[in-house]
Amino acid sequence: MTVRRLSAGLVAAALLTPGVAACTTGGGTAGPTSTPSATASGAAPEADSDAKQALLNSTRELSNGNFRFRMSGAGSTAEGQVHEPSQSAEMRVSIGEPTDDLAMALDLVHVKPDSWVKLDLSGAAASSVPGRDKFNLGKYQHLDQSRIQGDRNLGFDFDQVDPAGSEVLTQAVTEVRRTGDGTYAGTIDVSKAADAGSIDPGLITALGAQANSVPFTATLDGQGRLTELVLQIPGTGGATAPEIRVTYSDYGNATAAQKPPSDQVVEAPPELYNLFD
């Protein structure tokens, strides 16, 4: 991970930006040799209507905003919970591996109308991050809502409570079939899902035509609710395609996020916002 300002969404940057590198290095953009959408004629079949409807229905419970989630891929994770009844949410993000030149960990807490972030940096390049001496590392930094409104990095939209945007992703399904009891497989046109929090628009651009047919699998629980969504981002040449995994649990059983203790809170400096511009 290089020293740079993050862009797009923090989760998208954490999970999918490494996929951009895989898609743009090596001088080509060739994807997997086959995908679930391939047919003998080379044309992509339409989604099975019953299977696609099941997927669309599976995301409805997410809109109630009471669940836990986890996203992982490319050596990074984001996990936490949303609790709409208390207008609160929290997310813990880990970007990079301990052996990387730069790794980042963030603890984001949102209790409407306030938000805080605790930032930690590690690795040999950590001291080179612009503005590092102003970041109040290890403290919860109170965020100015006017600075983070609409910000996919530090803000949280209680009108769109799913950080991964699985509803948007399922709406972009182009082919799907039922593979077992509560399991599905097919392809998603991620070029139509740029608003999903787990999709970096830069990745969509880098994938080119491959963005139209990204393989996925999905698992639903006994009540038809989405519990897992896995995207297999196309790689290049002999490179292994990065796997992006989103899971949901504890529907209806999440708990309210807690405000950080006042003695651990400071106001965020301008340098912190600049890091995520």
Side-chain angles (χ1 to χ4, degrees):
M1 180 176 178
T2 57
V3 177
R4 61 178 178 83
R5 291 179 177 176
L6 297 180
S7 59
L10 179 59
V11 174
L15 301 182
L16 296 182
T17 298
V20 176
C23 295
T24 56
T25 57
T29 57
T33 56
S34 64
T35 71
S37 64
T39 66
S41 64
E46 295 182 357
D48 174 88
S49 59
D50 290 341
K52 183 166 184 178
Q53 190 60 52
L55 287 181
L56 293 173
N57 293 345
S58 74
T59 64
R60 289 179 179 174
E61 185 67 22
L62 292 171
S63 64
N64 290 331
N66 193 328
F67 57 86
R68 298 182 188 277
F69 65 90
R70 189 177 192 274
M71 293 177 274
S72 63
S76 299
T77 62
E79 60 184 329
Q81 64 176 354
V82 177
H83 192 251
E84 176 69 19
S86 64
Q87 293 279 278
S88 69
E90 58 185 331
M91 181 185 303
R92 294 167 297 282
V93 180
S94 174
I95 304 174
E97 302 283 1
T99 55
D100 290 347
D101 287 342
L102 176 62
M104 180 183 294
L106 299 101
D107 187 355
L108 285 154
V109 179
H110 305 279
V111 181
K112 202 171 182 179
D114 293 298
S115 298
W116 303 263
V117 62
K118 182 167 70 172
L119 170 68
D120 286 297
L121 301 172
S122 60
S127 60
S128 301
V129 175
R132 181 185 184 279
D133 59 334
K134 305 288 187 180
F135 288 163
N136 301 302
L137 297 179
K139 290 278 190 178
Y140 281 94
Q141 304 184 63
H142 183 255
L143 299 170
D144 181 347
Q145 292 296 318
S146 69
R147 297 287 299 269
I148 66 172
Q149 185 174 10
D151 187 331
R152 294 177 65 183
N153 295 320
L154 298 174
F156 189 85
D157 186 350
F158 282 97
D159 292 324
Q160 298 179 9
V161 294
D162 176 18
S166 289
E167 180 181 7
V168 176
L169 289 168
T170 57
Q171 289 173 345
V173 165
T174 53
E175 183 266 325
V176 62
R177 65 189 185 280
R178 185 173 180 271
T179 57
D181 187 12
T183 59
Y184 299 84
T187 55
I188 294 177
D189 182 353
V190 297
S191 69
K192 298 179 180 178
D195 290 338
S198 55
I199 296 294
D200 183 352
L203 172 69
I204 296 173
T205 300
L207 286 175
Q210 293 183 101
N212 301 331
S213 187
V214 172
F216 81 93
T217 59
T219 303
L220 280 53
D221 66 12
Q223 298 184 49
R225 302 173 301 193
L226 184 66
T227 58
E228 181 179 79
L229 180 65
V230 180
L231 280 70
Q232 198 71 35
I233 306 301
T236 61
T240 301
E243 180 182 271
I244 308 304
R245 184 179 302 269
V246 181
T247 60
Y248 300 97
S249 63
D250 291 340
Y251 283 106
N253 294 312
T255 57
Q258 300 300 308
K259 296 181 180 181
S262 58
D263 62 352
Q264 296 182 28
V265 172
V266 295
E267 287 298 318
E271 290 82 1
L272 179 76
Y273 300 104
N274 293 340
L275 179 66
F276 298 99
D277 283 346

